[in-house]
Amino acid sequence: MGIIVNKNTRAIVQGITGAQGSFHTKLMLEYGTKIVAGVTPGKGGTKIHDVPVYDTVEEAVKESMANASIIFVPAPFAADAALEALENGIKTVVIITEHIPIKDAINVMAYAGQVGATIVGPNTPGIITPGECKLGIMPSHIFKSGVVGMVSRSGTLTYEIAAGLTRKQLGQSTCVGLGGDPIVGLNFIDVLKFFESDQQTRAVALIGEIGGNLEELAAEYIIKSNYPKPVVAFIAGRSAPPGKRMGHAGAIIMGKAGTAESKIEAFQKAGVEVAEKPSDVAVLLEKLIKH
Amino acid sequence: MGIIVNKNTRAIVQGITGAQGSFHTKLMLEYGTKIVAGVTPGKGGTKIHDVPVYDTVEEAVKESMANASIIFVPAPFAADAALEALENGIKTVVIITEHIPIKDAINVMAYAGQVGATIVGPNTPGIITPGECKLGIMPSHIFKSGVVGMVSRSGTLTYEIAAGLTRKQLGQSTCVGLGGDPIVGLNFIDVLKFFESDQQTRAVALIGEIGGNLEELAAEYIIKSNYPKPVVAFIAGRSAPPGKRMGHAGAIIMGKAGTAESKIEAFQKAGVEVAEKPSDVAVLLEKLIKH
Amino acid sequence: MKLLEYEAKKILIKYGIPTPKGGFATSAIQAREIASSLKPPFAVKAQVPVAGRGKAGGILLVNSVDEVEKAAEKLLNMQIKGIPVRSLWIEEKINVKKELYFGITVDRLNKSYVVIASSEGGMEIETVAAKTPEKVIRFPINPRLGFRAYHARQIAKKIGYSGNQISTLGNIFYSLYLAGMECDAELIEMNPIVETQEGNFIAVDARIIIDDNALFRHSEYKGRIVEGELSPQEIEAVKNDLAYVKLDGNIGVIGNGAGLVMATLDAIQLYGGKPANFLDIGGGAPSDKMATAIKIVLSDPNVEALFINILGGITRCDEVAKGLLEAREKLGINKPFVIRLVGTNEEEGKRILTEAGIHVLDSMEEAAQRVTEIIKSKR
Amino acid sequence: MKLLEYEAKKILIKYGIPTPKGGFATSAIQAREIASSLKPPFAVKAQVPVAGRGKAGGILLVNSVDEVEKAAEKLLNMQIKGIPVRSLWIEEKINVKKELYFGITVDRLNKSYVVIASSEGGMEIETVAAKTPEKVIRFPINPRLGFRAYHARQIAKKIGYSGNQISTLGNIFYSLYLAGMECDAELIEMNPIVETQEGNFIAVDARIIIDDNALFRHSEYKGRIVEGELSPQEIEAVKNDLAYVKLDGNIGVIGNGAGLVMATLDAIQLYGGKPANFLDIGGGAPSDKMATAIKIVLSDPNVEALFINILGGITRCDEVAKGLLEAREKLGINKPFVIRLVGTNEEEGKRILTEAGIHVLDSMEEAAQRVTEIIKSKR
């Protein structure tokens, strides 16, 4: 089953006629994802990779009975695209677009909360439940169905670690990219909760990075909830100096807050093993799952 | 019992130190209304008619356990005052203030809907459950506890008719002034529903006026719901010419819409007796209730 | 506050909505000058704040600069629905392929704004709605989200457009919404917004009514009164914060509360009289406001008798009585009048009037009957 | 985008927030002129976009116009936290009774903005929070309602004010919120906002960071680069839409994806090396972007070796390989380098590089080890 997306996911692609949208629609279709419609204003009536294109989400949802959306719309219009999806009843929205203004993202998240929808991203590689549904831009061959739930703030680093797991025959239930922006739909705790009630997931790989305190809060949650599944963490940015923004808008150490040490310490206190380098994640998980 | 307000209502007065706020606080207290606190920014720590004044609704509610508010704040600030009450958990808000901008009123109503609160007004004389609670500016001596539920878009006209009822010993369960503005919290249907489930109410007096189609919709509701209690209506503005705004922002006949004829016809179709002049309301109700 | 077409168009232009090239004139010579900087043919349009101006002959289409001058002269000597034409807007006539309607107004039932759009524009939208309701789209705006660019595109689609025109037209709709919100419009409409032969869209006429209650946020309109739009009585009433409406009868009416005053007019009519006006002094009026109200009503030469109907709530009967005496002293009221006075401080009010020799009634219906009889007896 | 104090204050003034009288100067003479139109004593303030400027000696308090000139001279010859002072703000020194803090920033966990206020201002708020957390109020803004005047009054109350000062201070807080929202600030703060001996409030220092992602809505900042704020590499990176951060080691790093690059830096450090920079080429970079990235990294004289770490997702390995060869041809890469290349179009990328005589590794950790060994062997 995995979490959030699975074989019953019927997705529309917003911005399907753009270069990115079109390219990844093809890859998602090849992976077996049910892409049931696309939306690009002004391109209604055409087809992309045999997927019918509509001018509005309203029409697309009506014709396709979609329940999810993946958004490739340029940043100035992406928040509006997400609201269009939400207002038309879509409950899972993956926002690939990066560089969405903070004010716009806040507005989207508030409305999503009000209508009870799940937002993955923005600035995320997306989400994949291997063998069932890929709603994202990740290279699919590095994933394999299995028992490890993955959740990460990073894109390529996730691929790095997922590929390591797959090489060791540790498949994944679902891999979720939270997104690198300061305002994203899901945090670690949200995803830990999803994995908690997912039968397929037997262990969790959590890939954090410097900045903010979401990792610390996740560690606290693991303690408080007496989290029933083993968790292995990796934190990127041990060598990062304070006050510098390391690519991601959120990856910045402010004074003493947001350091890798603080996060690693919090996890260790919660009994979560922390990998020293990316390849160690698979090594640690292998031990935990075999036991 | 009556509807919306009763002897368990614990109200704060927002704008209590203004001329209107102070004057009517005194009258409401004399009537027996539980005015438990007042709010005027900058006047916290003082007292008005022995009622403690706070700077913010937050403090007032915390100290007084209020569940209702009546607002006398000037129009440019009244919508904010209503939001302040709503955000602090108050579920019944009476807005006496007139001339609130439409945009502001729309925002208040949307938020009230979201938190499940009842707004009476703006531009209303308020609401009174005779003998229990008066949250408004109506002259109290013309009301008397009894079985007639009253709902009206007008102020003084309501007094006129209520006084007529009281003279004939027809007391009232609750009298609700919807408010004369284009955007108000309650419409006739809302109040008809309240009266429907109120045991004290045995008949309803509905005082409408020209403009809009809320009376027509009320008539439709009476038909559809097979409304169980007798209703008598009066419509002001039979002699009004089209295109002229008769005082109330809403009281304007546009083309064929909003005429008194249309409303009277709708009520007659619904089996609602329509009084020709204000004093007839009591006459008609007397017959219906005695039977 | 009703804006004139040219004022409304200035706002549209500020929001990037295409409008025909044009200019404002208050004389025929000026109109000619403006026209000579434009491309013919021209539309010469009377600037009066009334709907249905075109039908009433307020828009003239001409082909030359000479004709513009003549048309201007003609219009500036006209009245439209009783309002004298004081100014003109001269613009290039647009090559029409199709006329559309798009407007935003207040939806009382849904407690929000509502968009109204139609593939049929150029006439009053009420007329379209009555004739071909299926051609009118009503789109309630969710106050939580506002009207967004994608809503605008949905509507552009529904009124029959596709391809790039969806976004072009959608952007215009969306901009109109932003304009309307920004200026607190209770009505903002483009009627027609025109599709040209080339497939572009241009707002050929625009109407904006600003929410009077929001004027405190729009200092640019402070003190603005369009000459000729209001009667002298109405101007005086606006200045004194009184709600006054001129009617065509001979019984002047003053009361407190819009509903009560309407019911008073109805009662006069019921007994065969004809009210000369609606005047609501509002709640809690002090004596001088009452005096001003009497002055305004009596300044209408049609008024033959006066009916004052006060039911005191916030309004105090003693203040009303004082105002009446004040007005009588200053103005020397020379018309018969009837006064009904009950409610707050009723005794004191009655005492003041009785001592001054004025008889006070208790029932509004009795008073209405009395005043109509006075008029009849004068014939 | 970090605004300078004087830019931030201009915004505050636009929103009606009181600030000390002052003027902008880029020379000591200019500073003197400005001071002579002000009342002594004066504050002469270096305009540099760094926090903690006061502690670093960037603000001088003087009593006469002559002293202003001297202070200006001194500051204009200074560097603050590595940034040369190019301009000054000279203002009247305010008579302080109490220094407060008020700011609005982003709350990631609550997915909204958060107000931070304190009765202790004038130092970094993090310091106050660490020393006396009970003096710091965190007020998350409900995105449904926004920050309203009554919220502002609640906060004014909580930091210790009463009477009229609640509304005066509340209005300033509320105005700052409006300013922050309007200009898409991810941080806007007044530190300190001062209560004067007379009981008035004045924003003595202000800091605004604009959300870079919202700059498309703020054309007024287009092309604005504060001289001296960025290194030549950083300016070049910004122009080419690359994320570059200068570090203090000697191994140049290029990778795709912020997380991966950070992990690469960590791996280098783990094996005893020191990274010279962070450079993320982002997703789907074409070959010329890769070439530009190499050029930027190599333009740093500290770089002794280069580590390129690519895991192809959207990014295609063949494009990376082409970019590398392009850079080698044009720039003549004369530093040793290590490349790790896996993922999309991996085979083609490897083929291109192998044919060009470049050895490609599969594991980032192996590559990190290799590059640190290269550096060590050079010693």
Side-chain angles (χ1 to χ4, degrees):
Chain A
M1 273 300 286
I3 65 169
I4 304 173
V5 299
N6 56 40
K7 59 183 185 306
N8 301 320
T9 300
R10 298 172 58 82
I12 62 170
V13 177
Q14 291 179 258
I16 194 169
T17 58
Q20 290 288 321
S22 160
F23 178 67
H24 286 289
T25 296
K26 183 155 172 284
L27 296 184
M28 288 188 284
L29 285 167
E30 283 170 7
Y31 193 74
T33 305
K34 295 187 184 74
I35 301 293
V36 293
V39 175
T40 299
K43 297 285 166 69
T46 62
K47 286 201 172 193
I48 294 272
H49 309 303
D50 232 35
V51 174
V53 179
Y54 299 91
D55 291 309
T56 63
V57 173
E58 189 186 33
E59 296 165 282
V61 169
K62 203 173 136 198
E63 298 298 328
S64 70
M65 314 247 293
N67 54 20
S69 175
I70 179 166
I71 293 177
F72 291 95
V73 169
F77 313 108
D80 238 33
L83 292 175
E84 188 177 0
L86 294 170
E87 204 186 359
N88 284 288
I90 286 183
K91 295 292 183 211
T92 300
V93 179
V94 177
I95 309 176
I96 302 298
T97 311
E98 57 179 350
H99 299 322
I100 296 179
I102 292 172
K103 194 164 69 179
D104 301 5
I106 285 174
N107 191 25
V108 169
M109 300 314 161
Y111 189 64
Q114 199 177 308
V115 299
T118 299
I119 307 275
V120 181
N123 191 9
T124 175
I127 178 169
I128 183 168
T129 295
E132 300 197 29
C133 176
K134 163 178 136 169
L135 225 52
I137 58 173
M138 55 287 272
S140 41
H141 66 274
I142 57 171
F143 296 94
K144 169 183 153 62
S145 181
V147 300
V148 179
M150 268 187 83
V151 53
S152 171
R153 275 170 70 187
S154 149
T156 28
L157 182 57
T158 312
Y159 313 161
E160 182 79 43
I161 293 171
L165 291 175
T166 297
R167 264 198 305 275
K168 284 203 180 286
Q169 300 302 317
L170 286 168
Q172 303 90 42
S173 53
T174 299
C175 297
V176 185
L178 300 181
D181 277 4
I183 301 292
V184 292
L186 294 173
N187 62 38
F188 287 117
I189 296 178
D190 297 327
V191 179
L192 283 172
K193 284 182 185 166
F194 274 117
F195 282 135
E196 194 169 345
S197 51
D198 175 48
Q199 293 196 342
Q200 185 181 337
T201 304
R202 285 179 46 206
V204 177
L206 186 157
I207 322 297
E209 64 187 29
I210 53 165
N213 67 338
L214 298 180
E215 289 82 358
E216 285 87 337
L217 293 170
E220 253 176 55
Y221 173 75
I222 288 169
I223 297 175
K224 267 200 221 152
S225 68
N226 203 4
Y227 198 71
K229 303 184 182 183
V231 179
V232 168
F234 177 80
I235 305 295
R238 290 170 188 243
S239 61
K244 297 281 185 181
R245 180 177 290 188
M246 305 302 272
H248 283 162
I252 182 167
I253 298 169
M254 306 286 266
K256 278 168 208 158
T259 62
E261 291 72 46
S262 151
K263 293 167 194 299
I264 291 168
E265 202 183 271
F267 279 126
Q268 285 170 339
K269 212 183 280 177
V272 170
E273 291 206 63
V274 182
E276 202 170 34
K277 41 192 202 296
S279 62
D280 290 350
V281 174
V283 177
L284 293 171
L285 274 169
E286 201 174 27
K287 272 193 276 174
L288 287 168
I289 292 172
K290 296 269 159 77
H291 282 140
Chain B
M1 271 301 285
I3 65 169
I4 305 171
V5 298
N6 56 40
K7 60 182 185 302
N8 301 319
T9 300
R10 297 171 58 82
I12 61 170
V13 177
Q14 291 179 257
I16 194 169
T17 59
Q20 290 288 319
S22 159
F23 178 65
H24 287 288
T25 296
K26 183 156 172 283
L27 295 184
M28 288 188 283
L29 285 168
E30 284 169 6
Y31 194 72
T33 305
K34 293 184 185 75
I35 302 294
V36 293
V39 175
T40 298
K43 296 285 167 69
T46 61
K47 287 202 169 189
I48 294 271
H49 308 305
D50 231 36
V51 173
V53 179
Y54 300 92
D55 291 308
T56 64
V57 174
E58 191 187 33
E59 297 166 280
V61 169
K62 204 173 135 199
E63 298 298 327
S64 70
M65 314 249 292
N67 54 20
S69 176
I70 180 164
I71 294 177
F72 291 95
V73 169
F77 314 108
D80 238 36
L83 292 174
E84 187 177 359
L86 294 170
E87 203 185 0
N88 284 289
I90 286 183
K91 295 293 182 210
T92 300
V93 179
V94 177
I95 309 177
I96 302 298
T97 312
E98 58 179 349
H99 299 322
I100 296 179
I102 292 172
K103 195 163 69 177
D104 302 4
I106 285 175
N107 191 25
V108 169
M109 300 314 161
Y111 189 65
Q114 200 178 307
V115 298
T118 299
I119 307 274
V120 180
N123 192 7
T124 174
I127 178 168
I128 182 169
T129 295
E132 300 197 26
C133 176
K134 163 179 138 169
L135 226 50
I137 59 173
M138 55 285 272
S140 40
H141 67 275
I142 57 171
F143 297 94
K144 169 182 152 64
S145 182
V147 300
V148 179
M150 269 188 82
V151 53
S152 170
R153 274 170 71 188
S154 148
T156 28
L157 182 56
T158 313
Y159 313 160
E160 181 80 42
I161 293 172
L165 292 174
T166 298
R167 264 197 305 275
K168 283 203 180 286
Q169 299 303 318
L170 286 167
Q172 303 91 41
S173 54
T174 300
C175 297
V176 185
L178 300 180
D181 277 4
I183 301 293
V184 291
L186 293 174
N187 62 37
F188 286 118
I189 296 178
D190 297 326
V191 179
L192 283 172
K193 284 182 186 166
F194 274 115
F195 282 135
E196 194 169 345
S197 50
D198 174 48
Q199 293 196 342
Q200 185 181 338
T201 304
R202 285 179 47 205
V204 177
L206 187 158
I207 322 299
E209 63 187 30
I210 54 166
N213 67 339
L214 298 180
E215 289 82 359
E216 285 87 338
L217 292 170
E220 256 176 52
Y221 173 74
I222 288 168
I223 297 174
K224 268 200 219 150
S225 69
N226 202 3
Y227 198 72
K229 304 184 181 183
V231 179
V232 167
F234 176 81
I235 305 294
R238 290 171 188 239
S239 62
K244 297 281 186 183
R245 180 176 290 187
M246 305 302 271
H248 282 162
I252 181 166
I253 298 168
M254 305 287 264
K256 276 170 213 159
T259 62
E261 291 72 46
S262 151
K263 293 168 194 298
I264 291 168
E265 201 183 272
F267 279 126
Q268 286 170 339
K269 213 183 281 175
V272 170
E273 292 206 62
V274 182
E276 202 170 36
K277 43 190 201 295
S279 61
D280 290 350
V281 173
V283 178
L284 293 170
L285 274 170
E286 199 173 29
K287 272 193 275 175
L288 287 167
I289 291 173
K290 296 270 159 78
H291 281 139
Chain C
M1 171 182 285
K2 293 175 183 172
L3 299 190
L4 294 171
E5 176 196 10
Y6 83 97
E7 296 171 297
K9 280 189 172 165
K10 265 191 203 166
I11 292 175
L12 265 58
I13 290 167
K14 194 177 139 197
Y15 284 82
I17 298 173
T19 58
K21 264 189 212 158
F24 179 74
T26 52
S27 72
I29 298 293
Q30 243 185 323
R32 185 189 178 92
E33 269 167 35
I34 287 162
S36 33
S37 69
L38 303 174
K39 270 200 314 214
F42 310 104
V44 185
K45 304 162 92 175
Q47 298 300 290
V48 282
V50 294
R53 166 187 60 161
K55 250 192 192 165
I59 300 176
L60 300 176
L61 301 175
V62 296
N63 292 308
S64 71
V65 172
D66 286 342
E67 285 174 300
V68 165
E69 193 175 337
K70 273 181 220 154
E73 204 130 9
K74 186 175 166 194
L75 287 174
L76 287 169
N77 286 307
M78 245 176 97
Q79 286 208 354
I80 294 177
K81 300 196 177 177
I83 296 180
V85 179
R86 312 250 183 213
S87 60
L88 304 170
W89 179 252
I90 297 95
E91 66 184 17
E92 294 180 358
K93 193 187 164 300
I94 299 301
N95 191 356
V96 176
K97 182 174 169 197
K98 194 162 175 41
E99 293 187 314
L100 316 170
Y101 175 91
F102 186 86
I104 301 161
T105 186
V106 175
D107 181 341
R108 302 172 56 151
L109 186 67
N110 289 311
K111 299 174 203 170
S112 184
Y113 293 96
V114 61
V115 165
I116 297 172
S118 176
S119 57
E120 300 275 320
M123 55 192 130
E124 281 185 60
I125 190 66
E126 291 83 359
T127 313
V128 182
K131 273 196 217 157
T132 48
E134 73 284 0
K135 284 188 177 163
V136 176
I137 295 166
R138 277 183 60 88
F139 181 90
I141 296 178
N142 174 346
R144 173 66 184 81
L145 288 174
F147 185 69
R148 297 193 162 260
Y150 61 86
H151 296 134
R153 291 193 298 264
Q154 285 174 14
I155 290 169
K157 188 90 206 280
K158 281 178 187 158
I159 62 174
Y161 289 93
S162 62
N164 288 338
Q165 285 185 310
I166 292 177
S167 291
T168 312
L169 191 53
N171 284 340
I172 292 174
F173 291 169
Y174 179 59
S175 299
L176 193 82
Y177 167 75
L178 294 181
M181 286 303 107
E182 191 68 31
C183 67
D184 274 294
E186 61 180 65
L187 171 75
I188 183 165
E189 68 178 17
M190 305 182 282
N191 187 19
I193 165 154
V194 152
E195 183 191 3
T196 66
Q197 297 295 346
E198 299 76 32
N200 300 321
F201 297 97
I202 298 180
V204 164
D205 199 358
R207 207 153 68 99
I208 297 179
I209 304 178
I210 311 263
D211 174 8
D212 288 333
N213 291 340
L215 285 175
F216 68 89
R217 290 199 277 245
H218 302 277
S219 52
E220 65 269 33
Y221 299 120
K222 209 172 167 181
R224 171 193 176 282
I225 289 182
V226 175
E227 233 185 311
E229 185 181 349
L230 298 178
S231 70
Q233 286 82 17
E234 282 168 329
I235 291 172
E236 203 55 29
V238 166
K239 280 188 197 159
N240 289 283
D241 197 23
L242 295 166
Y244 174 94
V245 180
K246 170 93 185 85
L247 302 171
D248 56 5
N250 50 11
I251 301 174
V253 176
I254 296 171
N256 65 324
L260 185 69
V261 180
M262 271 190 271
T264 308
L265 306 182
D266 295 349
I268 289 171
Q269 206 180 44
L270 187 68
Y271 292 111
K274 292 192 86 182
N277 68 275
F278 169 104
L279 197 161
D280 174 13
I281 59 166
S287 61
D288 57 337
K289 204 167 184 179
M290 186 64 204
T292 307
I294 294 173
K295 189 178 141 199
I296 290 172
V297 170
L298 291 181
S299 73
D300 174 359
N302 294 341
V303 169
E304 292 176 27
L306 186 60
F307 177 2
I308 299 171
N309 183 9
I310 301 296
L311 195 158
I314 328 184
T315 308
R316 289 161 51 180
C317 293
D318 53 334
E319 289 288 330
V320 170
K322 280 180 210 159
L324 179 59
L325 296 188
E326 199 181 310
R328 191 171 71 164
E329 198 171 309
K330 282 192 197 151
L331 306 169
I333 306 180
N334 52 0
K335 303 278 165 67
F337 64 89
V338 168
I339 178 159
R340 183 264 189 149
L341 191 63
V342 295
T344 308
N345 291 12
E346 177 178 328
E347 292 71 25
E348 176 66 5
K350 280 186 176 164
R351 193 190 56 75
I352 292 171
L353 292 180
T354 312
E355 281 180 8
I358 296 170
H359 180 60
V360 181
L361 297 176
D362 279 340
S363 148
M364 82 176 246
E365 288 153 21
E366 191 192 337
Q369 224 166 337
R370 178 83 61 95
V371 76
T372 52
E373 279 160 15
I374 290 173
I375 293 285
K376 279 180 202 154
S377 69
K378 285 177 81 179
R379 297 285 132 120
Chain D
M1 170 181 287
K2 292 175 184 171
L3 298 189
L4 294 171
E5 177 196 7
Y6 82 97
E7 297 172 298
K9 279 189 173 165
K10 266 190 203 165
I11 293 175
L12 265 57
I13 290 167
K14 196 177 138 198
Y15 284 82
I17 298 173
T19 58
K21 265 190 210 156
F24 179 74
T26 53
S27 72
I29 299 296
Q30 245 186 321
R32 185 190 178 91
E33 270 168 34
I34 286 161
S36 33
S37 70
L38 303 175
K39 267 202 314 218
F42 310 104
V44 186
K45 304 163 92 177
Q47 298 300 292
V48 282
V50 294
R53 167 186 61 159
K55 249 193 192 164
I59 300 176
L60 300 175
L61 302 175
V62 296
N63 291 308
S64 72
V65 172
D66 286 342
E67 286 175 302
V68 165
E69 192 175 339
K70 274 179 215 153
E73 204 130 8
K74 187 176 165 192
L75 288 173
L76 286 169
N77 284 307
M78 246 174 95
Q79 287 207 354
I80 293 176
K81 299 195 179 179
I83 296 178
V85 178
R86 311 247 185 218
S87 59
L88 305 170
W89 180 252
I90 297 94
E91 67 184 17
E92 294 180 358
K93 193 185 163 301
I94 299 300
N95 192 354
V96 176
K97 182 174 168 196
K98 196 163 172 40
E99 293 186 315
L100 315 170
Y101 175 93
F102 186 86
I104 300 161
T105 186
V106 175
D107 181 340
R108 302 172 56 152
L109 185 67
N110 290 311
K111 300 174 203 169
S112 184
Y113 294 97
V114 60
V115 165
I116 298 172
S118 176
S119 55
E120 299 275 319
M123 54 193 133
E124 284 185 57
I125 190 68
E126 290 83 358
T127 314
V128 182
K131 272 196 218 158
T132 48
E134 74 283 1
K135 283 187 178 161
V136 176
I137 294 166
R138 277 182 61 88
F139 182 90
I141 296 178
N142 174 347
R144 172 65 184 81
L145 288 174
F147 185 69
R148 298 192 162 262
Y150 61 87
H151 296 133
R153 291 193 297 264
Q154 284 173 14
I155 290 169
K157 188 89 206 277
K158 282 179 187 159
I159 61 175
Y161 289 94
S162 62
N164 288 337
Q165 286 186 311
I166 292 177
S167 291
T168 313
L169 190 54
N171 284 340
I172 292 174
F173 292 168
Y174 180 59
S175 299
L176 193 83
Y177 168 76
L178 294 181
M181 288 303 106
E182 191 68 32
C183 67
D184 273 295
E186 61 181 64
L187 170 75
I188 184 165
E189 67 178 19
M190 305 183 280
N191 188 18
I193 166 155
V194 152
E195 183 192 2
T196 64
Q197 297 294 347
E198 298 76 33
N200 299 320
F201 297 97
I202 299 180
V204 163
D205 198 357
R207 207 153 68 99
I208 296 180
I209 304 177
I210 311 262
D211 175 6
D212 287 334
N213 292 340
L215 284 175
F216 68 88
R217 289 198 278 245
H218 301 278
S219 53
E220 65 270 32
Y221 300 120
K222 210 172 167 182
R224 172 193 175 281
I225 289 184
V226 174
E227 233 185 311
E229 184 182 350
L230 298 177
S231 70
Q233 286 83 15
E234 283 168 330
I235 291 172
E236 202 55 29
V238 167
K239 279 189 197 157
N240 289 282
D241 197 23
L242 295 165
Y244 175 93
V245 180
K246 171 91 185 84
L247 301 172
D248 55 5
N250 50 13
I251 301 174
V253 175
I254 296 171
N256 65 325
L260 186 68
V261 180
M262 270 190 273
T264 309
L265 306 182
D266 294 349
I268 289 171
Q269 206 182 41
L270 187 68
Y271 293 110
K274 292 193 87 180
N277 68 273
F278 169 105
L279 197 161
D280 173 13
I281 59 168
S287 62
D288 58 337
K289 203 168 184 180
M290 185 65 203
T292 307
I294 293 173
K295 190 178 139 201
I296 290 171
V297 170
L298 292 180
S299 72
D300 174 359
N302 294 340
V303 168
E304 292 176 28
L306 186 60
F307 176 4
I308 298 171
N309 183 11
I310 301 296
L311 197 158
I314 330 182
T315 308
R316 290 163 48 182
C317 292
D318 53 335
E319 289 288 330
V320 170
K322 280 182 212 158
L324 178 59
L325 296 187
E326 200 181 309
R328 191 170 70 163
E329 200 172 307
K330 281 193 197 150
L331 306 171
I333 305 180
N334 53 0
K335 301 279 165 67
F337 66 88
V338 169
I339 179 160
R340 183 264 187 146
L341 192 63
V342 297
T344 310
N345 290 11
E346 175 178 329
E347 292 72 23
E348 176 65 4
K350 280 185 175 165
R351 193 190 58 71
I352 293 171
L353 291 181
T354 312
E355 280 180 8
I358 295 171
H359 180 59
V360 180
L361 298 176
D362 277 341
S363 147
M364 82 175 244
E365 288 154 20
E366 191 191 339
Q369 223 167 337
R370 178 82 60 95
V371 76
T372 52
E373 279 160 14
I374 289 173
I375 293 283
K376 280 179 200 155
S377 68
K378 286 177 77 179
R379 297 288 134 119

